[in-house]
Amino acid sequence: MSALAKTSILTEEGGNQCRKRSLPSSEQCNKRSKTDDMSANEKKSNFSLLNPNNGTIKTNTSSMNKPGAATKKLIIKNFKSKPNLPENYQETTWSKLREAVIAIQTSKAIAYSLEELYQAVENMCSHKMASQLYVNLTNLVEAHVKANIEQFLSESMDRQVFLKRMDDCWRAHCRQMIMIRSIFLYLDRTYVLQNPSIHSIWDMGLDLFRHHIAMNTLVQTRTVDGLLLLIERERGGDAVDISLLKSLLRMLSDLQIYQKAFENKFLQATERLYAAEGQRLMRELAVPQYLAHVEKRLREENERLLHYLDPSTKWQLIHTVERQLLSEHLSGILSKGLETLMDGPRLSDLTTLYNLFSRVKDGLNELCNHFNAYIKKKGRTIVIEPERDKTMVAELLEFKEQLDHIVNTCFQRNDKFLYSMREAFEFFINQRQNKPAELIAKFVDVKLRAGNKEATEEELERLLDKIMVLFRFIHGKDVFEAFYKKDLAKRLLVGKSASVDAEKSMLSKLKQECGGGFTCKLEGMFKDMELSKDINITYKQHLTAMKEGGGLELSVYILTMGFWPTYAPVEVRLPIELTRHQDHFTKFYLAKHSGRKLQWQATLGHCVLRANFTQGNKELQVSLFQALVLLLFNDGDNLSFEEIKTATNIEEGELRRTLQSLACGKARVLTKAPRGREVDDTDHFSFNADFTNKLFRIKINQIQMKETSEEQKATEERVFQDRQYQIDAAIVRVMKMRKALSHNLLISELYNQLKFPVKPADLKKRIESLIDRDYMERDKDNPNQYNYVA
Amino acid sequence: MSGEDCDVDRGDNDGQKSDKMFTLKKWNAVAMWSWDVECDTCAICRVQVMDACLRCQGESKKDSYGKQDCVVVWGECNHSFHFCCMSLWVKQNNRCPLCQQEWSIQRMGK
């Protein structure tokens, strides 16, 4: 709307010009309508073109002062004649201004007051001299800038001096332009603003500076090279003039040639520098030092960004550093240093490693892969060597704990790493079949056995939890079960279990992990123990009621066949008294439980014997076999090996070990002739009446059959037997469902179903066996095809 | 016996047996029980009678000692089966699946 406003007033040159800012608009409109008739000759005033945003509207001040405006109509008339300017007003004023500008440019005192100059500019603008004024000013500035370039073109010049001079020149230019702009502010605000194609005075200054100095190829190269040199020196650790750098880089950004002239070259230089540095330091430094160095470099570059570089460079700069120092060397760093870091474990270095690697693309993937490979490699060495079997489980637990700690503290619990760790454990633990499962079972046995006082309940509980983690990785869980069951049986029968709570807790963990089917037999064993207790109580009551018993106290563990490990039945000759007790109990039991039969397990029996020695009575805790042998000496003083063998009917090897324990062990209640560690067929034995011992109750340990070989083989054998049935069952299940199936498909389905490792050859054998037993048949036309036989 | 007359400070309450060098005081024996059957496999479900029958194994979640409830039954013909299996069988056919004799229970395991 103000474009229509024709109201204007010419101010006297240099006079007391009064600037009234935006009147209340109503009044303004009012006035406009009154002055509508004003002739177009006033249109010359370029105020009518005032930018609406400017909000500066010149009005007749006199009209404001009329108090009677409300009642009386106010008529404003134009001047009768145009005010005249003095002759050559333009020239004189300009020469005044020119003088001032040159004074500024040469850093001399200005002869006129600034206010005077400002008004001169304003007046010139008002008199349509703005464009001429602008051109003059531009020429003046351009001449000055042009003159300035000379100092930068001289042939040999120290770079430092050059940069300094450039900086000085730039600062002077800025200072001057600010001053000039202040004086020519009116020009800037009016003429320039109304002509979008014209640069503001400041921009004009920049433009000229850019055009004449900065874009000069020689100057620009010198400047940029100088800057790069400075930065390189600073990166090298020298102290440089940061403010100079900052100022010149600001100059480049202000001139808008930062990106074009500097940034690319800078990034290239950065890339070159760090590429070389990365190569060199990777060779020279150990990985932790290298990582620390990279971290330091990144920190420094960030500071550089803060201190003098343009923030727009940030992403590219950091990216370049990361690429040259990290991305290029990912696998180098990992293969060179991960192992030592992990072995340490050097937690802070690993944290640094993780943090650095998470910055670059694929860094964490690469780290995770190497982490995985490290676990597999290290784990394999723990698992694979038979010499380390004794400590395998403890080592595995420690290894796992250490890795957990690393993942939690250094790798921020990254899921990818957790998953990878699990995968690696599962992989390496099954590298050696069966043995880890067996050893884990035995490890648990040791921990659960009585006399193991090294841990409190809570510690034991925590340990069991950790073991369960290992157990989870094992493929052949049946092997674990077999060994665990065997050891559990021993603990229960000998009363060696440390705590029922711990046993139950372990059992519930297994149940949780593998389901009720896995543990129902183990639970059955506990149930048997409880039932046996009850039976023994009722049996005792039964004996008292029958007025029998006395002397020998018999208690029997009744085990359910199938729940317990199978023990080979052994026939031995019992003394009449024992047979009588045994029969009596059998009769009692079968009367209570019809349809059952009992099989006595002589190998598992234990006895307490009272022995009369010259030095006093002792109580001997012995196995049934040891007791049988000792009881023979009630009737004969000196017995040969053969005689004992016939009398007891104990299997020869077993008897040899039994005699060894009695005559060659720690507590020698028998004397062997001739002396020696081994028992020969021709040896004779006699009662050692002079036996002494501090203790009253003496436990004579049985000499264990080499458990590690035979018994263990038997257990394994049994596991494999069971596996055969499972394979059979799986084959029949699959065939029953599919009716007809090719060999390969059948095999792959079986691998999906079977939870333990099997060789294809074993599967083939089972298939043959099932064909023999008419569960399935080969297709008549296609020998690779099987058909289910209902 | 040389040792017999020596000073015995404890455990000498069994005067009449002290002429023996060794006296058995306590015997912890171990015995395994199983069903007294001629054929250890149930002809109906083809599972060993010592184990729970297939049905009970499948429902083992109800009772982890499921086997205690899955007893064996003997017919007059002396053939034995899981009681669970047999009680389903006789609903269809009241004859022993092995010998076709009229099925009547001789005894049940417990």
Side-chain angles (χ1 to χ4, degrees), chain A residues 111-369:
Chain A
Y112 310 92
S113 83
L114 292 177
E115 187 177 6
E116 195 183 338
L117 293 170
Y118 181 91
Q119 280 165 359
V121 172
E122 187 170 9
N123 289 336
M124 284 186 85
C125 289
S126 312
H127 286 92
K128 297 204 289 176
M129 297 166 191
S131 65
Q132 187 56 45
L133 182 60
Y134 186 82
V135 171
N136 287 343
L137 179 62
T138 310
N139 289 338
L140 200 55
V141 174
E142 184 167 13
H144 177 69
V145 171
K146 260 184 180 163
N148 263 335
I149 194 160
E150 287 309 317
Q151 54 177 325
F152 302 115
L153 296 178
S154 66
E155 273 305 306
S156 57
M157 192 191 290
D158 181 60
R159 298 207 180 189
Q160 189 78 33
V161 176
F162 176 88
L163 288 180
K164 198 83 195 145
R165 198 174 286 174
M166 174 57 89
D167 187 41
D168 288 344
C169 175
W170 165 248
R171 281 173 194 267
H173 174 81
C174 291
R175 213 169 40 241
Q176 291 158 15
M177 286 316 290
I178 287 170
M179 198 63 192
I180 291 170
R181 185 178 58 173
S182 305
I183 292 172
F184 288 81
L185 187 67
Y186 198 81
L187 180 69
D188 217 13
R189 288 273 167 85
T190 55
Y191 173 71
V192 172
L193 275 175
Q194 289 151 13
N195 293 282
S197 57
I198 298 177
H199 290 305
S200 73
I201 294 175
W202 174 255
D203 285 344
M204 177 262 284
L206 288 183
D207 199 44
L208 291 173
F209 194 89
R210 172 167 56 230
H211 189 258
H212 292 293
I213 297 186
M215 291 303 274
N216 182 302
T217 335
L218 181 65
V219 176
Q220 195 182 75
T221 347
R222 279 186 174 181
T223 315
V224 171
D225 286 355
L227 285 170
L228 292 178
L229 190 77
L230 270 189
I231 293 175
E232 197 176 316
R233 270 209 230 135
E234 202 235 336
R235 280 176 173 155
D238 293 351
V240 298
D241 187 350
I242 302 269
S243 60
L244 176 65
L245 267 173
K246 183 182 172 130
S247 162
L248 286 173
L249 286 168
R250 273 293 297 278
M251 172 185 90
L252 293 181
S253 338
D254 285 348
L255 294 174
Q256 292 176 339
I257 54 172
Y258 177 84
Q259 257 142 10
K260 229 193 308 168
F262 176 77
E263 194 177 38
N264 283 339
K265 280 189 178 174
F266 168 68
L267 289 174
Q268 277 166 16
T270 310
E271 188 144 0
R272 265 199 310 279
L273 173 76
Y274 286 124
E277 183 171 290
Q279 299 277 349
R280 184 171 54 84
L281 294 183
M282 269 305 287
R283 273 198 312 275
E284 290 172 4
L285 293 183
V287 168
Q289 282 82 350
Y290 183 78
L291 292 175
H293 181 80
V294 175
E295 215 178 26
K296 186 179 122 225
R297 279 304 194 195
L298 284 168
R299 202 171 46 239
E300 284 173 3
E301 292 301 336
N302 270 312
E303 276 166 17
R304 235 153 252 149
L305 281 166
L306 224 57
H307 287 144
Y308 55 80
L309 289 170
D310 193 87
S312 64
T313 318
K314 177 169 181 162
W315 188 83
Q316 290 200 61
L317 171 63
I318 298 298
H319 191 71
T320 306
V321 179
E322 284 169 354
R323 190 171 61 241
Q324 290 306 331
L325 290 183
L326 288 172
S327 302
E328 293 287 317
H329 305 290
L330 283 184
S331 57
I333 293 172
L334 290 171
S335 52
K336 190 177 164 194
L338 185 66
E339 238 179 275
T340 24
L341 293 188
M342 295 291 290
D343 281 341
R346 304 177 61 157
L347 295 179
S348 63
D349 289 335
L350 282 168
T351 314
T352 314
L353 181 72
Y354 180 88
N355 288 337
L356 287 176
F357 273 52
S358 60
R359 304 176 70 120
V360 300
K361 192 173 161 253
D362 283 339
L364 287 187
N365 282 338
E366 196 80 358
L367 176 58
C368 190
N369 289 343

Side-chain angles (χ1 to χ4, degrees), chain A residues 72-73 154 178 190 211 264 406 410 571 681 776 786:
Chain A
K72 240 175 159 181
K73 284 211 170 174
S154 66
I178 287 170
T190 55
H211 189 258
N264 283 339
I406 288 172
C410 306
E571 282 300 318
D681 293 358
M776 53 202 277
Y786 302 116

Side-chain angles (χ1 to χ4, degrees), chain A residues 464-483:
Chain A
L464 292 182
D465 277 333
K466 283 184 204 157
I467 289 173
M468 287 312 293
V469 175
L470 290 185
F471 171 73
R472 224 162 275 158
F473 299 130
I474 298 262
H475 283 161
K477 295 201 165 47
D478 46 356
V479 177
F480 174 89
E481 193 219 359
F483 281 99

Side-chain angles (χ1 to χ4, degrees), chain B residues 26-90:
Chain B
K26 201 171 165 191
W27 181 20
N28 290 318
V30 177
M32 291 271 190
W33 77 264
S34 55
W35 300 115
D36 188 14
V37 290
E38 276 164 30
C39 173
D40 61 3
T41 310
C42 168
I44 298 173
C45 69
R46 305 298 297 164
V47 171
Q48 303 210 328
V49 284
M50 273 315 285
D51 287 333
C53 72
L54 277 182
R55 237 159 221 288
C56 294
Q57 277 183 27
E59 291 163 9
S60 64
K61 56 198 176 290
K62 265 195 277 178
D63 179 7
S64 48
Y65 311 116
K67 159 120 160 268
Q68 300 295 336
D69 300 321
C70 195
V71 294
V72 177
V73 66
W74 286 264
E76 286 298 343
C77 55
N78 234 356
H79 288 129
S80 51
F81 309 94
H82 286 120
F83 180 69
C84 315
C85 299
M86 199 60 206
S87 42
L88 279 174
W89 177 271
V90 293

Side-chain angles (χ1 to χ4, degrees), chain A residues 511 520-521 523-524 527 551-561 563-565 567 578 582 589 592-601 604-614 617 619-620 624 630-631 633-634 687, chain B residues 1-4 6-14 17-38 46 48 50-51 60-61 63-68 71-72 74 107-110:
Chain A
K511 189 169 181 175
C520 80
K521 296 194 169 173
E523 284 167 12
K527 188 84 178 170
L552 175 63
E553 184 189 334
L554 172 66
S555 73
V556 186
Y557 286 129
I558 303 286
L559 314 181
T560 309
M561 184 129 20
F563 284 173
W564 296 72
Y567 303 100
L578 293 189
Q582 191 174 296
Y589 181 80
K592 277 210 163 318
H593 297 277
S594 64
R596 296 191 180 189
K597 63 184 177 195
L598 281 184
Q599 189 178 59
W600 293 84
Q601 302 286 338
L604 302 174
H606 288 268
C607 298
V608 178
L609 277 183
R610 179 193 304 281
N612 294 329
F613 296 107
T614 13
N617 285 2
E619 256 184 25
L620 304 179
L624 179 64
L630 290 179
L631 285 172
F633 288 89
N634 282 340
F687 176 56
Chain B
M1 293 303 101
S2 49
E4 207 237 317
C6 283
D7 287 338
V8 177
D9 44 5
R10 6 181 179 171
D12 200 23
N13 43 5
D14 291 306
K17 284 188 180 172
S18 56
D19 57 325
K20 282 190 184 170
M21 281 181 282
F22 296 105
T23 323
L24 196 54
K25 238 186 113 186
K26 201 171 165 191
W27 181 20
N28 290 318
V30 177
M32 291 271 190
W33 77 264
S34 55
W35 300 115
D36 188 14
V37 290
E38 276 164 30
R46 305 298 297 164
Q48 303 210 328
M50 273 315 285
D51 287 333
S60 64
K61 56 198 176 290
D63 179 7
S64 48
Y65 311 116
K67 159 120 160 268
Q68 300 295 336
V71 294
V72 177
W74 286 264
R107 60 198 164 105
M108 264 177 66
K110 64 171 184 179

Side-chain angles (χ1 to χ4, degrees), chain A residues 479-494:
Chain A
V479 177
F480 174 89
E481 193 219 359
F483 281 99
Y484 185 78
K485 189 200 237 181
K486 189 179 61 109
D487 292 330
L488 174 64
K490 254 189 215 161
R491 288 200 297 277
L492 291 178
L493 292 179
V494 188

